[in-house]
Amino acid sequence: MDRLGEDELASILKWIQDPRDRNSFSLVCKRWCNVEGLNKFSLRVFEPNYLLSFLPRFPNLLMFESSEPISDAQMEFLARTCPSIQKLNLYYHEAFHTWASARHSDFGHVGLCALAKGCCNLRSVVLRRRRGVSNAGVSSLVKFSRNLVNLDVRWCKVISDEALEAIGTMSALTSLNLQGCCLISDEGLASLAKGSLCKSLEFLNLAECDRISDDGVMKLVAMKSLEVLKLAECGPKVTDVGGRAVAAIESLKRLNLSWLINVSDDTVFALAQNSKNLATLHLEGCELVTGDGIRAFTGHKSLRKLELYGIYKFNVNDVEELVLGCQSLEFIGMDQRLRSWIPVTEQGNIFRPDCRISWRL
């Protein structure tokens, strides 16, 4: 084996998929250890405090993942050591750490800016629940990562419209997750809709952004490529006015309107009539929706999944008409308490063997 060059060893290593076997490979000798390190492309780190000791062995990483607190200095070291990173997953598992420890040791805009400058090929960045992520950090990320395709900043509480103004200038981004960013308002949505982003964005999650209203939602009509939109729990200021506007997005395939208490049949009528490509619709907790709205999807050609949990103003006849009239429908979700009015023989597959019903307590 000593006659084998590093290229030959690397070719052999490509056939070894099991992490335990790759670890055994690296333990054979120092040379094999170096080859394994040079050909390792993904790494999950549980103890960032030891980065300085082991990270230089993996200079060609394409994916880096850690759910632990990481300091600005460690982020800078990561950027210098692994400049080829394309996928960065720093989803913070809040349940395992106290807010005090995260505040004092986790990175902020300085570390994020250093990473963005050093890793110019970033395509996917997940910063979920990182409390130090601010408008300045996101703006730096946007400035230096022009090829970014996916950005997830769920529950980054200090992100506001200023960050969205920067994000709106991106031309390659296809997925943006802003769930729980409670400082976002209609002004931020306007920035997203008027920039280059409106031509590329396919996935947008605004769930729990309760400062937005119909005015902001109406701006989203400009997003001609949008396929997935989540507006769950966005508060009482999103009504049928916004719902009817969303129905005008012809590219829409999945829509979540759960717990929008001021959304009614008017929105459902508009969706059934205009959203020809809609395949999944979540209406959980939309108590103003009735059987009339549900029946509106009779004859729809694309709807496959409909969730009606927390809705009670409909009956078995409404469901029967929908299922028999909408042949594309494969799944309906309803509350367990409604099960009593479905015949026992039909509870497994309501009226059609290929349409499944799910009961929830």
Side-chain angles (χ1 to χ4, degrees), residues 39-76:
N39 289 273
K40 191 175 185 67
F41 303 114
S42 64
L43 183 67
R44 185 178 183 184
V45 174
F46 295 96
E47 297 187 23
N49 289 334
Y50 296 101
L51 276 179
L52 273 67
S53 62
F54 66 78
L55 193 62
R57 186 171 155 242
F58 311 113
N60 298 320
L61 287 181
L62 299 178
M63 193 279 282
F64 180 88
E65 178 180 357
S66 181
S67 60
E68 306 297 319
I70 301 179
S71 67
D72 285 329
Q74 290 165 344
M75 291 283 279
E76 292 171 357

Side-chain angles (χ1 to χ4, degrees), residues 123-126 147-152 172-177:
R123 293 182 60 80
S124 176
V125 175
V126 177
N147 295 320
L148 199 64
V149 173
N150 173 54
L151 177 60
D152 185 342
L173 197 70
T174 61
S175 178
L176 177 60
N177 202 322

Side-chain angles (χ1 to χ4, degrees), residues 61 68 87 153 172 239 248 250 294 314 319:
L61 287 181
E68 306 297 319
K87 184 176 181 181
V153 288
T239 71
E250 296 180 359
I294 293 170
F314 64 94
V319 178

Side-chain angles (χ1 to χ4, degrees), residues 86-350:
Q86 296 180 7
K87 184 176 181 181
L88 181 71
N89 188 348
L90 299 179
Y91 171 28
Y92 187 69
H93 290 280
E94 197 172 44
F96 302 111
H97 310 286
T98 65
W99 158 234
S101 66
R103 181 180 57 186
H104 292 298
S105 61
D106 211 21
F107 66 89
H109 72 274
V110 173
L112 191 55
C113 181
L115 188 87
K117 286 182 178 179
C119 301
C120 299
N121 297 317
L122 284 171
R123 293 182 60 80
S124 176
V125 175
V126 177
L127 302 171
R128 200 180 315 171
R129 295 189 186 277
R130 293 286 179 172
R131 295 177 181 264
V133 174
S134 63
N135 293 327
V138 172
S139 296
S140 296
L141 190 63
V142 169
K143 179 179 179 180
F144 296 106
S145 304
R146 303 308 296 179
N147 295 320
L148 199 64
V149 173
N150 173 54
L151 177 60
D152 185 342
V153 288
R154 265 179 279 185
W155 297 295
C156 293
K157 299 292 187 177
V158 296
I159 287 180
S160 68
D161 294 336
E162 181 182 338
L164 267 60
E165 184 176 1
I167 293 173
T169 65
M170 304 186 76
S171 58
L173 197 70
T174 61
S175 178
L176 177 60
N177 202 322
L178 298 168
Q179 181 174 357
C181 296
C182 54
L183 297 181
I184 290 173
S185 72
D186 294 339
E187 184 180 345
L189 298 191
S191 297
L192 295 182
K194 70 183 181 182
S196 303
L197 183 73
C198 70
K199 299 178 181 179
S200 65
L201 197 66
E202 299 174 1
F203 175 98
L204 177 61
N205 188 355
L206 295 169
E208 301 178 57
C209 297
D210 55 9
R211 292 193 181 191
I212 67 175
S213 71
D214 288 331
D215 290 340
V217 174
M218 290 172 67
K219 299 293 193 300
L220 302 180
V221 178
M223 296 185 171
K224 302 302 182 182
S225 298
L226 195 62
E227 296 183 358
V228 181
L229 177 61
K230 298 185 178 184
L231 296 171
E233 300 183 71
C234 280
K237 291 184 287 186
V238 178
T239 71
D240 286 326
V241 175
R244 288 192 296 268
V246 167
I249 305 175
E250 296 180 359
S251 57
L252 205 60
K253 294 181 179 179
R254 292 167 52 196
L255 178 62
N256 192 332
L257 301 175
S258 298
W259 301 106
L260 296 182
I261 59 174
N262 288 321
V263 163
S264 71
D265 287 341
D266 286 350
T267 292
V268 183
F269 291 150
L271 290 169
Q273 182 177 357
N274 301 320
S275 300
K276 303 300 183 182
N277 296 312
L278 191 64
T280 300
L281 178 59
H282 298 263
L283 293 172
E284 179 178 0
C286 297
E287 297 181 352
L288 296 181
V289 173
T290 70
D292 292 337
I294 293 170
R295 289 197 307 273
F297 274 97
T298 301
H300 198 275
K301 304 299 183 183
S302 301
L303 190 66
R304 299 175 59 187
K305 181 178 181 180
L306 180 62
E307 291 197 357
L308 303 172
Y309 303 116
I311 299 177
Y312 309 109
K313 296 178 181 179
F314 64 94
N315 58 42
V316 65
N317 295 324
D318 299 320
V319 178
E320 180 179 20
E321 183 174 336
L322 171 66
V323 173
L324 296 179
C326 183
Q327 292 298 309
S328 61
L329 196 63
E330 300 174 355
F331 175 93
I332 301 179
M334 295 188 292
D335 282 349
Q336 179 75 25
R337 69 178 68 181
L338 301 175
R339 192 169 189 171
S340 59
W341 48 254
I342 301 291
V344 175
T345 56
E346 296 177 351
Q347 287 181 1
N349 44 45
I350 292 187

